[in-house]
Amino acid sequence: MTHSSIMVDVGKWPIFTLLSPQEIASIRKACVFGTSANEAIYITHNDEVFVFGLNCSNCLGTGDNQSTIVPKKLEALCGKKISSLSYGSGPHVVLCTEDGEVYAWGHNGYSQLGNGTTNQGITPVQVCTNLLIKKVVEVACGSHHSMALSFDGDVYGWGYNGNGQLGLGNNGNQLTPCRVAALHGVCILQIACGYAHTLALTDEGLLYAWGANTYGQLGTGNKSNQLSPVQIMMEKERVVEIAACHSAHTSAAKTQSGQVFMWGQCRGQSVILPHLTHFACTDDVFACFATPAVMWRLLSVEHEDFLTVAESLKKEFDSPETSDLKFRVDGKYIHVHKAVLKIRCEHFRTMFQSYWNEDMKEVIEIDQFSYPVYRAFLEYLYTDSVDLPPEDAIGLLDLATSYCENRLKKLCQHIIKRGITVENAFSLLSAAVRYDAEDLEEFCFKFCVNHLTEVTQTTAFWQMDGPLLKEFIAKASKCGAFKN
């Protein structure tokens, strides 16, 4: 069973800002890991596997200890169809493929790689002992221990066991995978590991926990460690999903009706029994309580045809196929939708009242604004954004003032500020005064004063109308612009 169906935008994780848009678009599954969320692994649509980041303890599996901001391909895993991936605090990484093979690399001080040694793993190596004849469907890592779940519901553990987190009934470390005998007779569907504890969910919706319990993360109502699996949440309804993360002493579970419970470490407090939260999914528990911002499971990144409402609106702007209205500006047509205009703009809501002639027209002529300006305005109603050079933004500022679109006025002022130069400063100042844009007027005035010698030599300065020129000179004089 794999738990990687949650769709995410990897751009929410800062490390992915290192990648180009083309690289982001190629990602099918991804996981951010490491003690500071500075490492990442991702799988492309072609089942190629790439890693990048800090490479602490060789956790990138590239065969060296070199950090990289450029993704490196893990040739040994390409084409393997990774289905589950987890990582520990060392860090070490364990994953399994759709064929049931298990691979591991990274920190190995407690043999959490399951290879019978404590030698660090610098590249992915298959975990063979006791797992070779088993088809593994899920893996989970604690801080320094590893767990695997087979297709037939058996659970195996290896690595550090000082708190009983392997569930073997003792606290002795295991160099190779060892079956959790205490779970014999139950079929496990999902496993999850916290820093030093483990959770297991059966096919009947029963939940077992074992290992460290300093913060109540086992949910037993006390803080005693458990060397063997104990059943919890027995009085609750059927559990359908469990969650934990190697970096936290927190546990979470989701029930059949959609309720999400959490227990263990909660912002410095110990919650020793499952507590009902207001969250909608177990991932939200860790988004709220876990530090750093890593992922506790391999997550899917879908670049599918599905579009949000906002994305759909952007796509349909100036679309002849779906539009029911055209504006003609400077002899060019812009295709729009009456309903969108009425929803987004009070001016059009009034215009398309049934007693207005415009409500019956299929083409509306616009002659008071230029084509680039009017198109930018209509596109703004669909996208909430403006992309115009400062010169055209002045015309759009005029339109925004006429149509009482205050937010659009602010966007135009922002564009104009970014594009101010010695040559256009007085023209922009004049426009700011004309359209009652006080903030922009003050900005342009300060720019002109700071560059007074240069701007007074421009054509725009001498073309300024008399009253405005007098007002500028008077105001500039008051602030000391003409002092020697």
Side-chain angles (χ1 to χ4, degrees):
M1 182 178 180
T2 178
H3 296 268
S4 57
S5 59
I6 301 298
M7 309 307 174
V8 296
D9 172 13
V10 294
K12 294 177 182 177
W13 280 265
I15 190 170
F16 278 100
T17 60
L18 294 172
L19 301 189
S20 69
Q22 292 77 17
E23 288 168 326
I24 292 289
S26 73
I27 298 175
R28 182 169 60 88
K29 293 182 179 181
C31 189
V32 177
F33 62 99
T35 53
S36 300
N38 282 330
E39 285 94 7
I41 182 170
Y42 66 87
I43 304 151
T44 70
H45 294 282
N46 297 325
D47 282 309
E48 293 181 317
V49 181
F50 291 87
V51 291
F52 64 103
L54 194 58
N55 205 15
C56 178
S57 296
N58 303 96
C59 66
L60 294 184
T62 54
D64 56 48
N65 59 2
Q66 300 298 309
S67 300
T68 177
I69 60 174
V70 178
K72 290 184 177 180
K73 187 186 295 187
L74 292 186
E75 295 286 358
L77 296 177
C78 290
K80 291 289 186 181
K81 297 187 182 299
I82 297 170
S83 58
S84 176
L85 179 146
S86 190
Y87 53 92
S89 302
H92 72 289
V93 180
V94 180
L95 59 82
C96 68
T97 69
E98 290 182 5
D99 293 330
E101 298 174 337
V102 178
Y103 293 83
W105 68 91
H107 190 262
N108 196 33
Y110 299 95
S111 198
Q112 55 264 51
L113 301 186
N115 57 14
T117 76
T118 54
N119 299 328
Q120 193 155 283
I122 61 174
T123 57
V125 175
Q126 187 174 355
V127 182
C128 296
T129 307
N130 297 333
L131 294 182
L132 204 54
I133 60 173
K134 291 287 184 177
K135 181 179 181 180
V136 173
V137 293
E138 186 173 39
V139 293
C141 295
S143 174
H144 296 90
H145 76 288
S146 306
M147 307 294 295
L149 172 65
S150 71
F151 177 77
D152 49 14
D154 290 333
V155 178
Y156 292 80
W158 62 95
Y160 185 71
N161 193 34
N163 303 104
Q165 51 263 60
L166 300 185
L168 303 177
N170 58 58
N171 56 9
N173 298 344
Q174 288 293 322
L175 300 181
T176 56
C178 183
R179 183 168 172 266
V180 182
L183 292 175
H184 178 71
V186 296
C187 182
I188 302 299
L189 280 185
Q190 188 194 348
I191 53 175
C193 293
Y195 185 88
H197 73 288
T198 305
L199 306 174
L201 178 65
T202 75
D203 60 350
E204 295 179 290
L206 306 177
L207 177 54
Y208 290 86
W210 61 92
N213 200 24
T214 309
Y215 297 91
Q217 59 264 48
L218 299 186
T220 56
N222 58 54
K223 295 185 179 181
S224 300
N225 292 357
Q226 295 291 332
L227 302 181
S228 298
V230 293
Q231 191 177 342
I232 63 168
M233 287 186 70
M234 288 178 288
E235 74 284 2
K236 309 293 184 187
E237 63 176 324
R238 184 187 184 110
V239 176
V240 296
E241 182 180 271
I242 54 175
C245 181
H246 79 92
S247 60
H249 306 282
T250 306
S251 303
K254 186 175 184 178
T255 65
Q256 196 165 29
S257 67
Q259 292 183 320
V260 174
F261 292 83
M262 68 82 58
W263 60 98
Q265 192 176 39
C266 174
R267 299 205 176 271
Q269 300 183 54
S270 297
V271 180
I272 61 176
L273 286 171
H275 171 74
L276 179 61
T277 72
H278 63 276
F279 297 125
C281 66
T282 56
D283 297 275
D284 291 346
V285 172
F286 294 91
C288 181
F289 299 118
T291 302
V294 293
M295 302 177 186
W296 72 269
R297 56 178 167 182
L298 184 67
L299 297 179
S300 293
V301 182
E302 286 295 327
H303 304 279
E304 54 184 357
D305 294 334
F306 171 78
L307 297 175
T308 64
V309 173
E311 290 167 339
S312 296
L313 280 179
K314 290 180 182 180
K315 184 171 176 287
E316 292 307 313
F317 171 68
D318 201 14
S319 170
E321 290 79 13
T322 61
S323 69
D324 57 2
L325 177 67
K326 290 185 287 188
F327 284 95
R328 190 164 76 171
V329 191
D330 297 339
K332 301 176 184 177
Y333 289 99
I334 307 169
H335 299 81
V336 294
H337 308 77
K338 282 186 183 179
V340 174
L341 302 191
K342 289 168 70 174
I343 291 170
R344 293 279 288 145
C345 179
E346 181 65 33
H347 171 82
F348 288 123
R349 195 174 302 126
T350 304
M351 175 186 288
F352 294 130
Q353 297 292 341
S354 58
Y355 51 84
W356 275 54
N357 289 335
E358 279 81 354
D359 189 52
M360 305 301 295
K361 293 181 179 179
E362 293 184 358
V363 179
I364 297 178
E365 298 277 352
I366 300 293
D367 53 19
Q368 65 267 49
F369 300 106
S370 69
Y371 174 80
V373 165
Y374 212 77
R375 179 183 171 83
F377 168 58
L378 294 174
E379 189 169 11
Y380 160 77
L381 297 181
Y382 281 74
T383 66
D384 262 335
S385 62
V386 177
D387 184 17
L388 275 179
E391 293 72 21
D392 286 330
I394 295 174
L396 188 57
L397 178 61
D398 180 16
L399 186 154
T401 304
S402 300
Y403 287 12
C404 299
E405 289 287 334
N406 292 327
R407 182 175 180 275
L408 182 56
K409 283 183 66 173
K410 291 179 181 179
L411 287 176
C412 291
Q413 292 179 58
H414 182 63
I415 292 171
I416 293 169
K417 287 178 182 179
R418 289 185 306 179
I420 193 168
T421 65
V422 168
E423 287 73 24
N424 66 17
F426 269 104
S427 298
L428 299 183
L429 175 62
S430 178
V433 173
R434 187 163 62 253
Y435 303 128
D436 195 28
E438 295 180 4
D439 183 54
L440 178 61
E441 179 184 347
E442 185 63 25
F443 178 86
C444 293
F445 172 77
K446 287 181 178 179
F447 183 92
C448 290
V449 169
N450 290 337
H451 302 272
L452 191 60
T453 301
E454 294 91 338
V455 295
T456 53
Q457 297 173 19
T458 63
T459 304
F461 177 79
W462 297 107
Q463 290 178 342
M464 188 181 294
D465 61 73
L468 184 59
L469 182 59
K470 288 179 181 179
E471 183 181 342
F472 170 78
I473 293 173
K475 189 175 179 182
S477 179
K478 286 182 181 179
C479 67
F482 302 111
K483 290 181 180 179
N484 292 329

